């Protein structure tokens, strides 16, 4: 996931970050001159947040020598340095200074993303930037700012949802650091996140969120499998991934049901009533599945129990809609990363319609869930 427009720098270079930030802010401000003052204020917010983040980074090598850092945290960071080398040497991902520094945050997430959609539509409100193109969210460094944006959008009649993020990519403009928000109880999480974000540096297609996130999710999952095999560890829990894909499919089915309701010639009151009925049915189906097939897996409980809006359904499917397609490309390459990167780069250069058709043909059933045309 990206926070704001960024461009790439040569692999291995260590730019003068303050100067590059000034150039970046100049670029996005120029691109936003015809926008409202609200947009310029947003650019100032993310630019200031990025600058503060860069000022707080420490080389991981120094952190490992600091006796004041708890031993478990040092152990995770040491593993991440090893995984960082693995990412370039074995997975063919960029070799640069990203994920060799560490930032200890004073908050659980580095940013909060605000998604919005009209009350009677599942199509997202998009935001366009000079370099990164159009995406279905805006990211903020503080929860207060994110809530302010949500209230602004709600005042315009939109439904909103705020989701915290553990990491984001500047697409190679800066050497992105490891963040404390990336490190959880499952050590695979930060390693997988590093692989995911490095793929965004490897390949990023303007105006194609589904492509960008699906390929990064594939690299994250396959990279973790290879990483664990290389370390002599068992493969990731396949059942966990199966349940996650099944939950996403359920949420996408709800989204399709709501889209059908909104397409009918109904009064607002009738659409609201049918929407609530559909959401209640989704919750009942989830509860039944959780009790039986999923053996009490509670990972999705909070998402289901909290209010479900059109905006909350926007991200569903974007992260893995085309993962099976990229898995097929990888298999066709004999599971060789150099071939995979070359073929996906060629695919990225195709016109959007050609690229979408090529990926859809590789997905079972021929349809990529969550791959909305409005996000391309």
């Amino acid at each position: 996931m990206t926070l704001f427009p960024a461009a790439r720098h040569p692999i291995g270079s260590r730019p003068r970050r303050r100067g590059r930030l000034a150039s970046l802010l100049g670029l996005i401000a120029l691109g936003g001159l015809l926008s409202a003052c609200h947009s310029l204020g947003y650019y100032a917010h993310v630019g200031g947040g990025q600058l503060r983040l860069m000022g707080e980074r420490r080389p991981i090598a120094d952190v490992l020598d600091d006796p004041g850092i708890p031993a478990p945290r040092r152990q995770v960071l040491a593993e991440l340095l090893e995984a960082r080398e693995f990412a370039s040497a074995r997975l063919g991902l960029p070799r640069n200074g990203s994920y060799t520094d560490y930032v200890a945050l004073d908050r659980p997430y580095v940013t909060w993303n605000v998604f919005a959609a009209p009350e009677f539509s599942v199509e997202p409100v998009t935001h366009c930037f000079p370099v990164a193109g159009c995406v279905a969210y805006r990211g903020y460094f503080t929860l207060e700012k994110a809530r302010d944006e949500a209230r602004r959008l709600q005042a315009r009649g939109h439904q909103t949802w705020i989701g915290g993020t553990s990491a984001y990519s500047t697409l190679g403009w800066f050497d992105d650091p490891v963040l404390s928000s990336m490190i959880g109880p499952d050590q695979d999480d930060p390693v997988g996140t590093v692989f995911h974000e490095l793929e965004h540096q490897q390949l990023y297609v303007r105006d194609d969120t589904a492509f960008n996130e699906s390929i990064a999710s594939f690299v994250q999952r396959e990279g973790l499998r290879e990483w664990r095999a290389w370390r002599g560890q068992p493969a990731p829990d396949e059942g966990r991934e199966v349940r996650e894909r099944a939950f996403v499919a359920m949420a996408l089915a709800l989204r399709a049901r709501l889209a059908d309701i909104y397409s009918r010639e109904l009064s607002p009151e009738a659409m609201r009533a049918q929407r609530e009925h559909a959401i209640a049915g989704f919750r009942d189906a989830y509860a039944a599945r959780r009790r039986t097939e999923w053996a009490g897996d509670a990972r999705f409980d909070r998402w289901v129990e909290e209010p479900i809006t059109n905006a909350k359904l926007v991200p569903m499917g974007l992260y893995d809609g085309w993962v099976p397609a990229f898995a097929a490309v990888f298999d066709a390459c004999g599971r060789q990363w150099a071939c995979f990167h070359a073929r996906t780069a060629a695919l990225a250069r195709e016109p959007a319609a050609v690229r979408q058709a090529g990926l859809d043909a590789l997905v079972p059933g021929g349809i990529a869930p969550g791959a909305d045309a409005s996000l391309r």
Side-chain angles (χ1 to χ4, degrees):
M1 182 166 288
T2 62
L3 180 69
F4 58 95
R8 303 178 62 127
H9 62 268
I11 290 177
S13 67
R14 303 280 298 198
R16 295 179 180 177
R17 296 179 181 85
R18 287 181 181 271
R20 292 187 70 86
L21 181 61
S23 299
L24 175 61
L25 289 178
L27 171 64
I28 59 182
L30 178 62
L33 281 178
L34 300 180
S35 302
C37 293
H38 170 79
S39 295
L40 297 179
Y42 172 72
Y43 292 144
H45 167 74
V46 296
Q50 177 69 24
L51 181 59
R52 286 190 296 273
L53 200 66
M54 293 299 99
E56 295 169 0
R57 54 201 284 150
R58 295 176 62 189
I60 292 178
D62 292 351
V63 176
L64 296 179
D65 292 334
D66 186 346
I69 303 297
R73 181 54 52 92
R74 294 203 305 272
Q75 181 179 352
V76 173
L77 291 174
E79 181 177 338
L80 282 171
L81 273 187
E82 190 176 8
R84 177 65 187 86
E85 173 58 26
F86 179 91
S88 297
R90 300 298 185 98
L91 307 182
L93 295 172
R95 183 179 295 278
N96 54 29
S98 290
Y99 307 108
T100 60
D101 291 336
Y102 173 67
V103 174
L105 300 171
D106 59 357
R107 55 193 187 272
Y109 299 109
V110 62
T111 62
W112 286 264
N113 290 333
V114 182
F115 295 84
E119 183 182 1
F120 300 121
S121 174
V122 294
E123 297 303 320
V125 174
T126 56
H127 307 275
C128 299
F129 303 95
V131 177
C134 299
V135 295
Y137 59 87
R138 269 192 172 187
Y140 292 84
F141 279 96
T142 69
L143 181 56
E144 179 184 5
K145 287 281 189 182
R147 286 173 172 166
D148 286 344
E149 172 68 359
R151 284 190 287 267
R152 186 186 73 84
L153 291 163
Q154 289 163 10
R156 298 175 60 182
H158 297 308
Q159 293 187 343
T160 62
W161 181 67
I162 299 173
T165 58
S166 63
Y168 67 86
S169 175
T170 59
L171 306 183
W173 188 279
F174 299 101
D175 289 336
D176 297 319
V178 171
L179 306 168
S180 57
S181 53
M182 295 164 55
I183 301 175
D186 183 352
Q187 256 186 289
D188 277 348
D189 288 345
V191 171
T193 299
V194 167
F195 296 162
H196 183 108
E197 301 301 341
L198 282 172
E199 175 57 28
H200 283 320
Q201 294 187 19
Q202 177 86 0
L203 184 63
Y204 183 86
V205 179
R206 181 184 173 92
D207 298 333
D208 200 336
T209 302
F211 179 96
N212 296 326
E213 297 300 345
S214 291
I215 190 173
S217 292
F218 168 75
V219 170
Q220 175 177 347
R221 294 177 190 181
E222 181 59 34
L224 272 176
R225 290 188 183 94
E226 296 191 14
W227 163 251
R228 292 181 67 87
W230 184 72
R231 289 168 61 87
Q233 297 174 336
D237 180 4
E238 292 292 337
R240 181 183 176 94
E241 285 192 15
V242 168
R243 291 190 293 274
E244 182 174 328
R245 289 196 296 269
F247 178 76
V248 170
M250 289 180 66
L252 289 172
L254 172 61
R255 183 179 174 185
R257 171 66 176 146
L258 296 183
D260 178 63
I261 292 170
Y262 300 146
S263 70
R264 300 176 185 176
E265 294 184 3
L266 300 172
S267 68
E269 293 76 13
M271 280 194 284
R272 292 185 185 110
Q274 291 198 21
R275 176 173 64 209
E276 292 309 310
H277 180 74
I279 291 173
F282 166 81
R283 288 190 168 116
D284 289 343
Y286 168 77
R289 205 162 189 180
R290 183 186 181 283
R291 286 193 307 268
T292 55
E293 298 174 48
W294 295 349
D297 188 338
R299 282 180 297 148
F300 315 111
D301 283 7
R302 183 174 177 182
W303 193 97
V304 173
E305 291 164 0
E306 292 180 347
I308 296 175
T309 66
N310 300 330
K312 192 173 183 177
L313 293 167
V314 165
M316 303 304 290
L318 289 180
Y319 279 77
D320 51 12
W322 277 324
V323 167
F326 288 115
V329 173
F330 191 62
D331 288 341
C333 280
R335 305 181 68 80
Q336 298 298 310
W337 286 105
C339 170
F340 174 82
H341 293 312
R343 290 195 182 180
T344 53
L347 188 61
R349 291 191 291 271
E350 296 284 359
V354 175
R355 181 169 63 247
Q356 178 186 355
L359 290 169
D360 283 351
L362 296 172
V363 176
I367 299 174
D372 297 324
S374 63
L375 295 184
R376 293 191 193 89

